[in-house]
């Protein structure tokens, strides 16, 4: 967002990207290259697993994925560690996908999506045990 509350050029470009049709071939390429077709960046499944290990989150913890796009890598970390998850981003289209992707997983803890600007997060101190952001420049 810009200071006058209009979406910035980069936000608009992400909005357009998330709306665009993704072909089955494109998704297959992403799966082959990254190990997932949820990513809208370059973070591979192996890197997401390493990130989960570094964060050290598990059952009872709550993770914030900032700029989560379609829910990557937060949904993977929640799935593999059992932590709770909140995914934030700006484009609604991305978060609708994230919600669908999260809903398709059998997660142990609660997971939700929220439209929020990473520069003005609507959370108090101590709400999260860990934060991740993959390929995000706020
Ligand atoms: C390259 S994508 C990466 C998305 C996801 N983390 C992934 O790896 O697939 C960058 C994301 O950052 C988000 N983003 C950029 N600036 C942001 C901001 N100020 N607040 C929240 N999200 C932001 C974009 O909307 C976009 O979804």
């Amino acid at each position: 967002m810009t200071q006058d509350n209009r979406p910035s050029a980069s936000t608009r470009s992400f909005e357009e990207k998330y709306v665009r049709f993704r072909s089955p071939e494109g998704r297959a390429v992403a799966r082959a290259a990254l190990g997932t077709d949820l990513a809208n960046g370059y973070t591979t499944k192996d890197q997401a697993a390493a990130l989960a290990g570094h964060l050290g989150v598990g059952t009872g913890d709550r993770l914030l994925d900032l700029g989560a796009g379609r829910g990557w890598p937060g949904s993977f970390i929640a799935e593999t560690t059992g932590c709770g998850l909140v995914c934030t981003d700006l484009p609604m289209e991305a978060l609708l996908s994230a919600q669908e992707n999260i809903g398709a997983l059998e997660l142990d803890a609660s997971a939700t999506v929220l439209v929020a600007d990473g520069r003005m997060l609507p959370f108090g101190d101590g709400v999260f045990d860990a934060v991740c952001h993959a390929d995000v420049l706020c």
Side-chain angles (χ1 to χ4, degrees), residues 1 8 10-11 14-15 17-18 38-43 65-73 88-91 94 116-121 133-138:
M1 288 287 174
S8 67
S10 92
T11 301
F14 276 119
E15 279 170 352
K17 185 164 185 186
Y18 286 119
L38 299 187
N40 182 34
Y42 306 98
T43 304
D65 186 351
L66 199 163
R70 301 185 187 96
W72 188 257
T88 62
D89 208 311
L90 292 171
D117 190 328
R119 293 167 296 185
M120 295 179 284
L121 288 173
H133 52 97
D135 300 315
V136 178
L137 293 173
C138 290

Side-chain angles (χ1 to χ4, degrees), residues 13-118:
S13 117
F14 276 119
E15 279 170 352
E16 285 161 18
K17 185 164 185 186
Y18 286 119
V19 176
R20 230 174 284 147
F21 175 72
R22 295 174 78 214
S23 67
E25 294 79 9
R27 296 178 72 145
V29 168
R31 280 196 297 276
L34 303 173
T36 177
D37 60 11
L38 299 187
N40 182 34
Y42 306 98
T43 304
T44 67
K45 190 172 181 177
D46 286 349
Q47 289 170 330
L51 181 57
H54 288 302
L55 291 172
V57 287
T59 306
D61 291 326
R62 193 179 292 146
L63 171 69
L64 170 65
D65 186 351
L66 199 163
R70 301 185 187 96
W72 188 257
S75 60
F76 174 79
I77 296 174
E79 183 181 21
T80 53
T81 69
C83 72
L85 174 66
V86 176
C87 289
T88 62
D89 208 311
L90 292 171
M92 183 62 80
E93 221 33 71
L95 291 172
L96 289 172
S97 281
Q99 191 169 38
E100 191 179 324
N101 295 327
I102 287 167
L105 302 173
E106 288 185 16
L107 298 180
D108 294 335
S110 74
T112 189
V113 304
L114 184 74
V115 175
D117 190 328

